[in-house]
């Protein structure tokens, strides 16, 4: 059955002005994380997160392939039929490149735990992985992908060029959502996410979420949740509170709404 939509009638915006939006996404969707994906989806639904995206990894760490005709593939199709937006989220999610630049080595080491798959790929290799993943995901779900999100939101020059050439409709990083083919920004928007690798990172992300959930400055806010969040009750409570608080003043929306907003503004 389709997702039930829950709109807040008290949210309004001036005529001709796009509303404030809240975008929700579940990352690292794959067979290995199926149980946690269920828990995250239920947690979002319970606090009014009735529209969401799933960021799907075709073969997580080369250990969890999505197989056409499998039970998990059927679940992806069912979610897509219910209105879940499907993003391709890398191919393996694993960074197996020896980075040439010092800056990229620092990003790979400090911004992610070996998961910035598309940070160091060549144009050719990025194109191959994008096209393989897109074919699989579109075959499985029966719908076109909404867009592409690089693992850990890290893109190298090769990845950005490949996205533009492939005419991927939408991509996002830590600070914006954009149309790669036109390099046109659809929303300048921070993403709120939680880190659970160390106690220090978790404490920091909980503090950031507490501030962000009352942040009035951005028209669009994004929340990204990960399977690892399920193992930390404090994080799950923070996710629920953040979504519930933000949706009081924002419409829980689809990423595709950003394209409609841009078309209205042009």
């Amino acid at each position: 059955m389709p997702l039930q939509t829950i709109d807040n009638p008290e949210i309004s915006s001036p005529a001709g002005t796009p509303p404030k939006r809240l975008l929700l996404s579940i990352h690292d969707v794959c067979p290995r994380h199926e149980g946690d994906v269920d828990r995250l989806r239920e947690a979002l639904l319970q606090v009014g997160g009735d529209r969401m995206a799933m960021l799907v990894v075709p073969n997580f760490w080369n250990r969890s392939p999505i197989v056409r005709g499998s039970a998990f593939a059927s679940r992806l199709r069912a979610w897509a039929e219910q209105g879940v937006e499907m993003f391709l989220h890398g191919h393996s999610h694993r960074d197996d490149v020896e980075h040439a630049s010092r800056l990229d080595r620092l990003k790979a080491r400090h911004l992610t735990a070996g998961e910035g798959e598309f940070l160091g790929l060549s144009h050719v290799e990025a194109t191959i992985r994008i096209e393989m993943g897109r074919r699989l995901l579109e075959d499985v779900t029966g719908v076109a992908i909404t867009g592409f999100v690089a693992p850990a939101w890290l893109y190298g020059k090769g990845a950005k060029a490949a996205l533009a050439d492939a005419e991927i409709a939408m991509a996002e990083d830590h600070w914006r959502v954009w149309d790669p083919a036109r390099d046109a920004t659809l929303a300048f928007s921070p993403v709120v996410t939680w880190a659970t690798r160390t106690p220090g990172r978790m404490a920091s992300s909980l503090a950031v979420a507490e501030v962000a959930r009352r942040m009035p400055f951005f028209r669009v806010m994004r929340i990204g949740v990960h399977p690892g969040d399920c193992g930390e009750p404090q994080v799950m409570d923070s996710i629920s509170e953040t979504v519930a608080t933000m949706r009081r003043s924002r419409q829980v929306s689809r990423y595709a709404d950003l394209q409609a907003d841009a078309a209205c503004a042009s």
Side-chain angles (χ1 to χ4, degrees):
M1 60 183 292
L3 289 175
Q4 180 185 7
T5 58
I6 307 172
D7 290 313
N8 187 340
E10 297 180 359
I11 300 173
S12 61
S13 57
T17 302
K20 288 187 174 183
R21 298 195 183 279
L22 175 61
L23 305 177
L24 307 175
S25 59
I26 300 176
H27 289 230
D28 304 348
V29 175
C30 65
R32 177 178 180 176
H33 296 145
E34 184 173 6
D36 287 336
V37 169
D38 285 336
R39 284 185 279 275
L40 291 167
R41 180 174 176 274
E42 184 60 29
L44 294 178
L45 290 172
Q46 285 182 355
V47 289
D50 54 292
R51 298 176 180 93
M52 68 186 71
M54 289 188 179
L55 278 54
V56 183
V57 185
N59 188 1
F60 189 83
W61 276 63
N62 296 317
R63 298 170 186 166
S64 182
I66 296 171
V67 178
R68 292 174 175 86
S70 65
F72 188 80
S74 296
R75 296 202 72 193
L76 285 175
R77 180 176 284 263
W79 285 325
E81 290 173 350
Q82 292 167 10
V84 173
E85 291 180 296
M86 293 290 169
F87 281 78
L88 180 63
H89 190 39
H91 192 270
S92 71
H93 208 281
R94 179 175 178 174
D95 182 3
D96 51 15
V97 172
E98 290 291 333
H99 298 282
S101 83
R102 183 170 182 272
L103 178 59
D104 282 353
R105 288 196 298 271
L106 287 172
K107 288 180 179 178
R109 184 179 304 119
H110 297 292
L111 296 182
T112 182
E115 297 193 317
E117 179 188 5
F118 275 71
L119 178 61
L121 295 183
S122 68
H123 184 177
V124 171
E125 182 60 27
T127 297
I128 291 170
R129 296 191 193 193
I130 289 168
E131 288 307 318
M132 287 175 56
R134 175 155 65 178
R135 283 198 301 272
L136 172 68
L137 190 49
E138 292 182 347
D139 284 352
V140 163
T141 63
V143 299
I145 60 171
T146 300
F148 176 91
V149 179
W153 294 283
L154 294 175
Y155 301 79
K157 290 181 180 179
K160 289 182 178 179
L163 288 173
D165 290 348
E167 299 184 345
I168 297 293
M170 195 178 303
E172 72 168 15
D173 61 20
H174 285 98
W175 282 100
R176 70 168 181 153
V177 183
W178 78 95
D179 175 343
R182 298 185 298 118
D183 194 24
T185 298
L186 301 173
F188 182 71
S189 156
V191 59
V192 181
T193 189
W194 287 261
T196 58
R197 276 192 287 148
T198 67
R201 288 175 182 265
M202 186 170 73
S204 176
S205 64
L206 290 170
V208 169
E210 186 172 356
V211 172
R213 69 179 66 123
R214 294 174 175 81
M215 188 179 291
F217 315 114
F218 297 94
R219 183 180 68 82
V220 177
M221 292 292 290
R222 293 175 288 147
I223 292 175
V225 298
H226 293 78
D229 298 337
C230 293
E232 300 292 344
Q234 281 182 286
V235 169
M236 294 299 288
D237 288 345
S238 178
I239 290 170
S240 295
E241 185 174 357
T242 302
V243 174
T245 301
M246 285 188 176
R247 71 174 296 273
R248 292 178 197 141
S249 59
R250 299 175 179 277
Q251 290 185 8
V252 179
S253 301
R254 295 166 56 84
Y255 276 80
D257 292 328
L258 300 181
Q259 294 169 319
D261 291 349
C264 289
S266 61

